Amino acid sequence: YLIWFGASCLQGDSGVAWGATFLSISDIHFNPFYDPSIVEELIKTDSGDWDSVFKKSTAKTLGGYGDEETNYNLLNSTLKSMGKSRKRPDFIIFTGDILAHEFNARFRQFKPRSTQRELDRFILKTVKFVMNLLSRVFPSADIFFSLGNTDAYGGDYAILPEGRFLHDTSQVIYDAFFKKSINKKRFFDTYRKGGYYSIS
């Protein structure tokens, strides 16, 4: 599932060439449920402190072929590898799918009597955690992001136009990923309507 690559590009314009280095990452499908012993603590803890919770886990493998989707160890290892490959990329393309498949059902296995609001809160914390982790590894790069089909409160292919997920994630995405203030109004005006945007 988790895919990334790095590349350089050249563009000629009126005889002038410039080089740009970028990274692309897609389909993270982060699974915070990979160690059942820490899920309850994750639910109670702010996403900014999730690193310390994951480090308590006794599950230290990256996972094998056919195993569960991306765990903390694999995500951390991948981002470190990306950082070593391109320490200061000009930009990053992130084409979505932050959340693991069947995310909602997995949450309800741990909290069968949870409300929709409690589930939504945990989804938002997961989104924040992944976005902020990526931003922390690449603090100076713009990260051009698009939503994947799993990225929604309602489950697979359930992104609602002008819905709460778009509203709740808009500030998170903008703060973590975009460095130019000129993009702010354009981003919020359209992303909150339908999850799309145009930026400079």
Side-chain angles (χ1 to χ4, degrees), residues 35 51 58 63 84 93 109 111 127 148 176 183 200:
D35 181 352
D51 275 303
T58 57
K84 287 178 183 176
I93 298 171
Q109 287 177 354
K111 302 285 284 186
V127 169
N183 288 320
S200 299

Side-chain angles (χ1 to χ4, degrees), residues 18-189:
W18 58 269
T21 299
F22 71 94
L23 293 164
S24 178
I25 186 167
S26 185
D27 295 81
I28 289 177
H29 290 297
F30 183 61
N31 173 25
F33 311 107
Y34 70 96
D35 181 352
S37 70
I38 63 171
V39 172
E40 192 64 39
E41 189 172 354
L42 289 173
I43 292 171
K44 295 176 182 176
T45 305
D46 183 81
S47 62
D49 297 318
W50 273 18
D51 275 303
S52 61
V53 179
F54 286 124
K55 285 172 182 173
K56 295 177 186 176
S57 171
T58 57
K60 300 299 183 186
T61 69
L62 302 181
Y65 183 79
D67 284 355
E68 290 283 345
E69 293 169 296
T70 306
N71 64 24
Y72 173 77
N73 307 313
L74 179 58
L75 179 59
N76 222 14
S77 174
T78 298
L79 294 181
K80 285 180 180 177
S81 179
M82 288 174 67
K84 287 178 183 176
S85 170
R86 301 287 191 280
K87 286 185 169 39
R88 294 179 64 84
D90 294 290
F91 60 91
I92 295 169
I93 298 171
F94 179 12
T95 49
D97 278 337
I98 291 174
L99 302 171
H101 292 96
E102 306 298 330
F103 192 99
N104 296 13
R106 296 178 198 217
F107 179 83
R108 294 199 187 282
Q109 287 177 354
F110 292 94
K111 302 285 284 186
R113 297 181 181 176
S114 61
T115 64
Q116 184 64 42
R117 185 66 74 172
E118 288 171 320
L119 169 59
D120 293 353
R121 193 178 303 126
F122 192 74
I123 289 172
L124 184 60
K125 288 202 295 187
T126 305
V127 169
K128 282 183 180 179
F129 174 75
V130 173
M131 290 182 171
N132 289 331
L133 189 60
L134 184 56
S135 178
R136 201 163 69 222
V137 176
F138 301 102
S140 62
D142 279 309
I143 301 174
F144 303 125
F145 172 75
S146 65
L147 292 168
N149 56 280
T150 64
D151 301 327
Y153 284 149
D156 234 4
Y157 297 99
I159 300 171
L160 297 176
E162 300 184 349
R164 280 193 306 106
F165 181 83
L166 294 178
H167 184 275
D168 293 349
T169 56
S170 59
Q171 192 70 54
V172 178
I173 294 170
Y174 185 83
D175 289 344
F177 288 173
F178 300 128
K179 307 300 184 287
K180 298 182 181 74
S181 60
I182 58 170
N183 288 320
K184 189 169 187 176
K185 186 175 187 306
R186 295 172 70 188
F187 172 76
F188 282 109
D189 284 351

